[in-house]
C-alpha cells in the first residue's frame, strides 16, 4: 500500500496538481494585493474617497450608521455587503487575467500547429540516387 501511494504521489499528474495549487495560492495573494492596494484606492478616489469594505446595512438597533465596519460589528448585527463587492472585483480580475493567459497559450499552440514543417534535408544516399536518376533521364532523351 505504501508503494502504491508513493507511485501515485510521484506521478506527474498529482505532482503537477500540487504545484498548481501552491502557485494559485501565491497568485491569489498577488491579486488580493493588486485589488486592495492599487485598484480599490483608484476606484475610491474616483468616487470621492469611497471605501467599499466599510459598506454595511445595520440589522440591529444601536448600530451606528456611518461608523467603521469593525465598530458597527461590535455594536450589533450588520449586513456587510461592501466586502462582497471587494471579493467580486477580486474574482473578476482573476478571471480576466486567467482568460488572457489561456488565450495567449492557445494562440501559441495554434501558431505551432499552423507553422509549416520544414522539408527534411536529403541524406547523402538520396542526393546520389537523385543524381543517378537525373543522368539516366538525360541519357534517354
Amino acid at each position: 500500500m505504501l508503494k502504491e501511494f508513493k507511485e501515485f504521489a510521484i506521478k506527474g499528474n498529482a505532482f503537477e496538481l500540487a504545484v498548481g495549487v501552491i502557485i494559485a495560492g501565491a497568485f491569489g495573494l498577488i491579486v488580493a494585493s493588486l485589488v486592495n492596494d492599487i485598484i480599490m484606492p483608484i476606484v475610491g478616489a474616483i468616487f470621492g474617497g469611497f471605501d467599499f469594505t466599510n459598506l454595511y446595512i445595520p440589522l440591529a438597533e444601536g448600530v451606528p450608521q456611518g461608523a467603521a465596519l469593525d465598530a458597527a460589528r461590535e455594536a450589533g448585527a450588520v449586513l456587510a455587503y461592501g466586502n462582497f463587492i471587494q471579493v467580486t472585483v477580486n474574482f473578476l480580475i482573476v478571471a480576466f487575467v486567467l482568460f488572457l493567459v489561456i488565450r495567449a497559450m492557445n494562440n501559441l499552440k495554434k501558431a505551432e500547429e499552423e507553422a509549416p514543417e520544414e522539408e527534411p534535408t536529403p541524406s547523402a544516399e538520396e542526393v546520389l540516387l537523385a543524381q543517378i536518376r537525373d543522368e539516366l533521364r538525360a541519357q534517354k532523351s
Side-chain angles (χ1 to χ4, degrees), residues 56-114:
Y56 63 89
I57 298 172
L59 299 176
E61 291 189 32
V63 176
Q65 188 74 337
L69 180 59
D70 292 334
R73 282 186 173 156
E74 289 177 12
V78 295
L79 179 69
Y81 65 91
N83 193 40
F84 177 75
I85 293 172
Q86 180 77 25
V87 172
T88 302
V89 169
N90 280 355
F91 169 77
L92 292 174
I93 291 171
V94 170
F96 184 69
V97 169
L98 287 176
F99 166 75
L100 292 177
V101 168
I102 291 171
R103 183 176 174 213
M105 288 176 59
N106 287 341
N107 286 341
L108 287 175
K109 282 183 183 179
K110 195 181 294 183
E112 286 178 6
E113 291 172 358
E114 292 176 358

Side-chain angles (χ1 to χ4, degrees), residues 12-95:
N13 292 343
F15 187 71
E16 289 170 3
L17 179 62
V19 170
V21 168
I22 292 169
I23 289 175
F27 185 69
L29 294 174
I30 291 170
V31 170
S33 176
L34 173 70
V35 171
N36 293 332
D37 300 333
I38 297 173
I39 293 175
M40 292 312 282
I42 293 171
V43 170
I46 291 171
F47 291 107
F50 208 62
D51 184 12
F52 286 106
T53 57
N54 282 320
L55 296 177
Y56 63 89
I57 298 172
L59 299 176
E61 291 189 32
V63 176
Q65 188 74 337
L69 180 59
D70 292 334
R73 282 186 173 156
E74 289 177 12
V78 295
L79 179 69
Y81 65 91
N83 193 40
F84 177 75
I85 293 172
Q86 180 77 25
V87 172
T88 302
V89 169
N90 280 355
F91 169 77
L92 292 174
I93 291 171
V94 170

